[in-house]
Amino acid sequence: MNQLNIKELIKGILILGLYFFLPVFLIIPFLFLKNNLLELLLVNLLLTIIFTIIYGNDLVNDFHGLKKNWKQILKTTLKYWIISLIISILISNIIELFHLSPNINQEENIKLLKTHPIAEYLFACLLAPITEELVFRRSFINTTNNKHIYAIITGFLFAFVHVISSLDQGAITIVYVLTYLPLGMAFGYAYFKTKNIFGTMITHSLHNFISLTLTLLIGGIL
């Protein structure tokens, strides 16, 4: 059956809602710290722990699967990632020709990288890959058995969340979705095929690590 499973789609949307709204409540106990960076770190750590608990059984099963078949899982995921990387670079270069307002999400990440590089590496290479793969990939895996529909849905959700903060710079900035879409869809295809979330978590972490390191080196921060 290639139709959407509405029940599973609703479950996925609810998980996505938790991803957005939980930080509003999780930050309350840490407001006394008067340290925005520490508050952000603790909230994201708790968010990762919560979703890890929600999908604890799946993570245990996938970890056993990874130990048995890690070469094929990583080979498949890396293949999709490399293809998406090439496409994303081409799209980014085309978008730059139009001199649009900057992608706020990217600008904020670069700013944090310059001021607190260790914290940014922790966010981008450990916490974000775990949380985002569980939220955007695992929570929607039973929505459909059509790999294309699954990759498109999860890819667009993943991409949109990464550019939503830029929309107040003008509606045209929605075009930045196209720079994240290939990566989101690649992880969707890879997870759909391998059924192992650690493949996309590891590759997602690798992608962010390479991106941050290149930014440090090329940007002259080091």
Side-chain angles (χ1 to χ4, degrees):
M1 180 177 69
N2 292 331
Q3 296 179 346
L4 287 177
N5 184 324
I6 301 301
K7 182 179 178 180
E8 291 297 327
L9 180 60
I10 293 174
K11 286 183 180 179
I13 293 173
L14 289 175
I15 290 294
L16 189 60
L18 282 178
Y19 175 73
F20 278 109
F21 293 111
L22 268 179
V24 176
F25 301 99
L26 292 177
I27 198 173
I28 294 175
F30 306 119
L31 291 176
F32 74 95
L33 295 173
K34 305 299 182 181
N35 185 314
N36 291 337
L37 180 62
L38 185 56
E39 290 172 5
L40 183 64
L41 177 61
L42 291 172
V43 168
N44 279 274
L45 178 60
L46 282 179
L47 198 63
T48 300
I49 291 173
I50 289 171
F51 284 112
T52 298
I53 293 173
I54 291 175
Y55 292 111
N57 291 334
D58 292 327
L59 289 169
V60 171
N61 292 333
D62 283 4
F63 182 72
H64 290 310
L66 182 69
K67 290 193 296 183
K68 294 178 181 178
N69 198 26
W70 66 270
K71 287 185 178 180
Q72 186 58 44
I73 290 171
L74 292 181
K75 180 181 178 181
T76 298
T77 311
L78 287 170
K79 179 187 72 174
Y80 282 109
W81 171 66
I82 291 172
I83 294 172
S84 73
L85 191 60
I86 294 172
I87 297 173
S88 292
I89 291 173
L90 290 174
I91 292 175
S92 295
N93 287 332
I94 293 173
I95 291 176
E96 285 182 5
L97 297 176
F98 295 91
H99 303 291
L100 301 178
S101 298
N103 181 345
I104 301 300
N105 178 72
Q106 188 175 33
E107 292 290 306
E108 289 297 321
N109 286 334
I110 293 175
K111 180 180 178 181
L112 185 58
L113 181 63
K114 291 179 178 179
T115 57
H116 300 89
I118 295 177
E120 177 60 13
Y121 268 95
L122 181 59
F123 287 136
C125 301
L126 179 61
L127 300 182
I130 294 174
T131 306
E132 291 181 3
E133 291 308 311
L134 291 175
V135 171
F136 294 105
R137 246 66 66 181
R138 172 59 188 86
S139 64
F140 288 94
I141 191 60
N142 296 318
T143 298
T144 177
N145 66 351
N146 184 305
K147 63 181 180 181
H148 303 300
I149 294 176
Y150 172 75
I152 290 171
I153 290 175
T154 57
F156 266 106
L157 288 173
F158 175 79
F160 183 73
V161 165
H162 283 77
V163 304
I164 192 171
S165 57
S166 299
L167 295 182
D168 60 358
Q169 303 294 313
I172 189 62
T173 55
I174 192 68
V175 75
Y176 285 120
V177 163
L178 299 178
T179 65
Y180 291 96
L181 183 59
L183 184 66
M185 290 185 64
F187 287 158
Y189 278 118
Y191 180 48
F192 193 94
K193 185 171 183 178
T194 65
K195 295 298 188 293
N196 193 296
I197 200 65
F198 284 101
T200 56
M201 282 182 180
I202 293 170
T203 309
H204 193 158
S205 179
L206 175 66
H207 173 86
N208 288 352
F209 178 82
I210 292 174
S211 297
L212 292 179
T213 304
L214 287 177
T215 300
L216 283 173
L217 295 175
I218 298 175
I221 298 172
L222 289 180

